[in-house]
Amino acid sequence: MKRLFYFILLLVGISTIHSCKDLLDEDGNPLNDINSNTGLNGPRALYREITDTDTLAEYHYNGLQLTKVITPGFDDGKKSITDIMYSGDKVSKVTFNGHLDLDSDGNIDIDSVSYTQFFAYGPTGRLESISENRQTFIINVGPPPSFTLRKTKTLYILKYAASTSKLDSIIMRTGEDVTGTSFEYKNYSRTKYTYSGDNVSTVTRHYGPMSGGVFAPAVSKYSYGYSNYDAKINPFTLIPFAYKISRILSTEINDSYSWILSPNCPKRVSVTDLTQPVPVPVVFSTDYNYDPQTYMVKGFDINYIYKPL
């Protein structure tokens, strides 16, 4: 229920207004005309996701390749940095240093997080697995102040539907890496994706303990639904698939963002706690604004800013 409450806060609490200072690129060049009536012609990149209070994400590129994403930190003086490395044209490594909302209370945590993800591809070029090493510095503000270093190892296995080649499921195995003890995966999750055409329509994720490689019955279950898709262009079609998966997997709550895997944008989003005696979805809806090239520029009270490439 805690995750469900946070999802409600996330969708209801975000405002829509942005200021001119947010409409500059990293070199200080104005971007005010990009989402105007004239739109942006030619190759483009997603540059910022913004609200009136913060920049939710800022994307940096080397030529056509996304190489860095800047997201909020614990306070205004700290930013979280994701660095993206490639082998040829494929994402091979993602490194994150900063802060996340790990307890799903709607606020960025004071605890700092560092993780490295390595991406492996199959013979057809599809992403098949992600291995992650993570360190979390858990701050006890005291008195007296102290911190605990928690290390985890996680393996994600991605499966694809044979008939459509779409992402079908992700199996996660994770465990705490304790010095002086043999490592063992202690928890798992199963995530299932279903589609309406090319768009993700439902995501279900079940979480539970495991022992000796055997999955025990799930102890928490959530479902995320996406419907009433438009026929316009999702901003995240401009972002590499591997990074989108990395973003979704960065915290457990981020499954709610699974619509970023779709080519279009859903006007209705729902979240359901399936462990309740009578599961009742909480539904949110939005209208979108678009530029003349039919790229979405505002939805669910978030503005999407583009830049030319």
Side-chain angles (χ1 to χ4, degrees):
M1 287 299 292
K2 190 177 187 181
R3 175 166 28 205
L4 183 61
F5 177 69
Y6 169 63
F7 189 74
I8 295 171
L9 290 177
L10 179 67
L11 289 182
V12 172
I14 294 175
S15 184
T16 63
I17 303 170
H18 54 77
S19 64
C20 292
K21 68 180 178 64
D22 285 318
L23 298 181
L24 302 175
D25 68 15
E26 62 269 31
D27 298 319
N29 300 314
L31 298 174
N32 291 7
D33 61 334
I34 286 182
N35 289 340
S36 68
N37 292 332
T38 59
L40 172 65
N41 294 309
R44 70 169 67 200
L46 179 60
Y47 180 55
R48 277 179 173 157
E49 302 169 53
I50 63 175
T51 71
D52 65 331
T53 58
D54 206 350
T55 297
L56 303 181
E58 181 174 291
Y59 301 90
H60 292 249
Y61 301 82
N62 180 10
L64 299 177
Q65 288 186 332
L66 176 67
T67 56
K68 186 184 299 288
V69 181
I70 302 173
T71 49
F74 175 66
D75 56 36
D76 290 340
K78 298 182 177 66
K79 296 296 182 183
S80 300
I81 305 295
T82 304
D83 289 306
I84 302 155
M85 299 181 65
Y86 293 80
S87 177
D89 63 348
K90 296 188 181 301
V91 173
S92 59
K93 180 181 177 181
V94 167
T95 302
F96 175 88
N97 290 285
H99 300 262
L100 297 165
D101 180 14
L102 297 174
D103 59 6
S104 303
D105 67 352
N107 298 306
I108 300 294
D109 295 347
I110 189 174
D111 304 330
S112 64
V113 177
S114 298
Y115 61 75
T116 301
Q117 297 171 332
F118 296 94
F119 296 74
Y121 298 83
T124 63
R126 294 187 305 202
L127 177 62
E128 291 191 348
S129 68
I130 304 171
S131 57
E132 177 187 287
N133 296 313
R134 181 177 294 222
Q135 294 187 128
T136 304
F137 289 88
I138 303 170
I139 307 300
N140 172 22
V141 295
S146 63
F147 74 88
T148 302
L149 175 60
R150 182 173 183 261
K151 297 181 179 181
T152 57
K153 293 182 178 180
T154 305
L155 177 65
Y156 301 95
I157 302 297
L158 288 75
K159 300 293 185 181
Y160 299 84
S163 59
T164 64
S165 296
K166 292 182 176 67
L167 179 64
D168 178 76
S169 62
I170 299 179
I171 305 299
M172 179 198 76
R173 296 172 175 86
T174 190
E176 192 162 354
D177 187 14
V178 180
T179 302
T181 65
S182 298
F183 175 78
E184 182 182 0
Y185 293 122
K186 292 294 185 69
N187 294 282
Y188 76 90
S189 72
R190 298 178 186 266
T191 307
K192 175 69 174 178
Y193 298 85
T194 58
Y195 297 82
S196 176
D198 290 332
N199 293 307
V200 174
S201 58
T202 306
V203 176
T204 57
R205 190 168 184 180
H206 295 187
Y207 304 82
M210 61 182 295
S211 178
V214 178
F215 293 174
V219 296
S220 62
K221 305 175 183 179
Y222 287 90
S223 175
Y224 307 91
Y226 312 94
S227 59
N228 290 13
Y229 274 91
D230 61 17
K232 311 299 184 181
I233 303 175
N234 185 328
F236 293 96
T237 57
L238 301 170
I239 298 296
F241 173 78
Y243 174 74
K244 289 185 282 191
I245 293 294
S246 176
R247 171 171 169 168
I248 290 169
L249 297 176
S250 63
T251 74
E252 291 183 0
I253 186 63
N254 271 13
D255 286 298
S256 60
Y257 286 102
S258 295
W259 66 272
I260 69 177
L261 300 174
S262 301
N264 308 119
C265 305
K267 296 180 180 180
R268 288 170 58 88
V269 176
S270 66
V271 58
T272 309
D273 181 351
L274 298 177
T275 62
Q276 297 301 302
V278 181
V280 178
V282 178
V283 180
F284 305 88
S285 61
T286 193
D287 288 322
Y288 291 112
N289 291 344
Y290 309 93
D291 71 6
Q293 284 71 49
T294 73
Y295 282 86
M296 189 263 282
V297 296
K298 187 174 73 173
F300 287 109
D301 295 339
I302 298 175
N303 293 269
Y304 297 86
I305 309 301
Y306 302 92
K307 61 182 290 187
L309 282 177

